[in-house]
Amino acid sequence: MRKAQKGDKQAFSLLVEKYQLKLYRLISRMVRDQSEIEDIVQDSFIKAYRAIGNFRGDSAFYTWLYRIGINTAKNHLVSLGKRPKAMDANEIEEMENYESMSELRVSETPESTMMSNQIAETVNGAIQNLPDELREAISLREIDGLCYEEISELMDCPIGTVRSRIFRARETIAEKLKPLIETTNKRW
Amino acid sequence: MNEKISSLFDSEINNKDVDTLLSKKSKMEGVRSSMSDYQLISDVLKKKTILPKSNLTDKIMTAIDKEPTQMGGLVKANSSNTAVMSFEILPVLASLAVLIVIASTAFNIEVNSTSTNQFLAKEDIPQEIINAHHAATANNMNYFIQVGDSAK
């Protein structure tokens, strides 16, 4: 964040990588067309880049980014002659935390559904085969949303060990996913 | 390296490690790829919809590369603050400089005058004149009071 604010485009690219899917999910609740969603996400990041100097850190970066995204989506809908629904902060938060797979407005094809299922099966299978301490560390992080410090207290180990366990868990799962991702990239 | 990316993904990375990651620009593609993989794993574990992998990051960064480099507001704010500060400090510095000049001049005069006086007293004035002066000068405070009274 600090680097991105100083104009480092590489640092900003990491923010793009980190938040693009979350923003995509948010916008997909307002706009149906996939290419339109991508355009809005892209515009939102460009606006964020132009205005990053105005970001004072009073709120989390993603909260600030999501507000830009929602305003961009609203403007997009207005330009199409559609009336965007007014949303308050609670609704925005609800949208971000929305986790139901069935209602996400992303156009799915039978092939993409099959790919998604295969990826989910691979990840879940890999998780089950992880050593206990790695499985517990990554579950506490990803599913329970705990920070490293909380995990270290729960697992009674140093933060460095938590960091290492989470990393090793991810690498092990990513290794199992690699062939599938390569195939997926060719098909998607 | 990858452990740092994993920490970055969780926003559990310190500034020094971010600098290390960003300093290896040739490896940025690998950094983004790892983050993309970690995001996929995270989405599955959180039971979120798995989105088709897209080249959205590339598209966004291509568009951003065409943008002029943004200097952050904080940086601007700091630099403008610095400018304001230097304007505010300027009169103080000027006053301080004047004081220093006055003080050093006065000190020099004092030192010079003292040393000159001492020089004169020691070298130029014969000792007998000094002794005569001390003998003729009243060292009793009452003398000056009486002189003051008689003057009235």
Side-chain angles (χ1 to χ4, degrees):
Chain A
M1 189 64 229
R2 179 178 50 88
K3 285 259 181 187
Q5 280 193 303
K6 287 180 181 173
D8 189 325
K9 289 182 178 175
Q10 297 288 352
F12 192 80
S13 77
L14 294 181
L15 293 174
V16 172
E17 192 64 56
K18 186 167 181 182
Y19 294 112
Q20 57 156 298
L21 281 182
K22 287 183 179 178
L23 195 58
Y24 189 102
R25 286 194 170 88
L26 181 78
I27 306 300
S28 73
R29 300 278 299 144
M30 301 171 75
V31 179
R32 282 179 184 274
D33 186 90
Q34 200 166 321
S35 65
E36 284 180 31
I37 298 170
E38 287 198 4
D39 288 345
I40 293 166
V41 171
Q42 181 172 324
D43 285 352
S44 303
F45 273 111
I46 292 169
K47 285 177 184 171
Y49 180 73
R50 286 174 183 159
I52 199 159
N54 299 330
F55 176 66
R56 298 280 167 183
D58 299 333
S59 59
F61 174 73
Y62 62 82
T63 310
W64 179 73
L65 177 67
Y66 290 167
R67 288 187 199 288
I68 292 174
I70 283 170
N71 285 334
T72 308
K74 280 182 179 177
N75 291 340
H76 174 80
L77 291 173
V78 168
S79 72
L80 295 177
K82 295 176 185 174
R83 194 188 175 97
K85 186 189 162 203
M87 285 187 290
D88 60 26
N90 289 339
E91 283 177 299
I92 294 169
E93 195 179 344
E94 272 177 28
M95 281 174 70
E96 162 49 17
N97 293 328
Y98 197 79
E99 289 188 348
S100 168
M101 293 174 83
S102 58
E103 291 196 36
L104 191 63
R105 292 173 181 173
V106 176
S107 54
E108 288 181 353
T109 63
E111 195 175 33
S112 68
T113 306
M114 190 183 75
M115 280 293 176
S116 298
N117 291 339
Q118 280 184 348
I119 288 170
E121 280 172 23
T122 306
V123 171
N124 290 325
I127 281 270
Q128 293 309 315
N129 289 326
L130 285 174
D132 288 346
E133 70 274 11
L134 300 194
R135 186 171 60 247
E136 191 181 353
I138 193 142
S139 300
L140 288 170
R141 172 65 209 161
E142 293 289 6
I143 299 169
D144 299 309
L146 301 186
C147 68
Y148 285 9
E149 193 177 354
E150 290 167 325
I151 298 171
S152 82
E153 284 171 15
L154 271 173
M155 296 187 76
D156 196 23
C157 64
I159 287 182
T161 308
V162 171
R163 195 182 300 279
S164 168
R165 284 176 182 172
I166 291 172
F167 161 66
R168 276 155 55 209
R170 282 184 175 136
E171 283 299 290
T172 307
I173 300 167
E175 200 60 39
K176 301 275 183 197
L177 271 178
K178 200 173 276 180
L180 203 53
I181 290 174
E182 282 165 6
T183 316
T184 306
N185 288 346
K186 284 174 193 165
R187 290 192 194 174
W188 269 349
Chain B
M1 173 79 174
N2 276 8
E3 191 172 303
K4 289 186 177 71
I5 301 170
S6 174
S7 300
L8 174 70
F9 182 78
D10 290 330
S11 303
E12 297 265 7
I13 192 168
N14 59 40
N15 289 339
K16 192 182 164 193
D17 286 343
V18 171
D19 289 346
T20 308
L21 278 177
L22 290 172
S23 67
K24 294 169 183 168
K25 294 202 188 311
S26 59
K27 294 185 177 172
M28 283 305 289
E29 189 55 46
V31 172
R32 292 211 293 264
S33 175
S34 292
M35 284 188 68
S36 173
D37 291 348
Y38 297 161
Q39 184 64 56
L40 185 61
I41 294 166
S42 176
D43 288 345
V44 172
L45 293 175
K46 288 175 180 158
K47 300 194 185 322
K48 288 184 176 178
T49 305
I50 301 166
L51 297 168
K53 192 174 172 82
S54 73
N55 54 352
L56 192 52
T57 304
D58 292 336
K59 282 183 192 170
I60 293 167
M61 290 317 297
T62 304
I64 282 173
D65 279 340
K66 291 174 188 164
E67 294 278 316
T69 298
Q70 299 293 314
M71 293 308 290
L74 290 176
V75 177
K76 272 184 186 168
N78 286 342
S79 56
S80 61
N81 283 347
T82 310
V84 168
M85 248 172 60
S86 53
F87 280 119
E88 284 171 351
I89 282 176
L90 212 57
V92 179
L93 288 176
S95 306
L96 200 62
V98 169
L99 279 174
I100 289 168
V101 169
I102 291 170
S104 66
T105 308
F107 179 74
N108 282 337
I109 289 168
E110 185 64 27
V111 167
N112 288 339
S113 61
T114 309
S115 61
T116 308
N117 289 345
Q118 284 173 345
F119 178 76
L120 283 171
K122 281 183 180 171
E123 305 294 332
D124 288 351
I125 304 172
Q127 190 60 41
E128 47 276 29
I129 292 176
I130 292 172
N131 291 341
H133 168 73
H134 283 308
T137 305
N139 53 7
N140 187 341
M141 205 58 172
N142 290 330
Y143 168 81
F144 295 100
I145 294 168
Q146 284 165 8
V147 169
D149 288 343
S150 62
K152 284 177 190 173

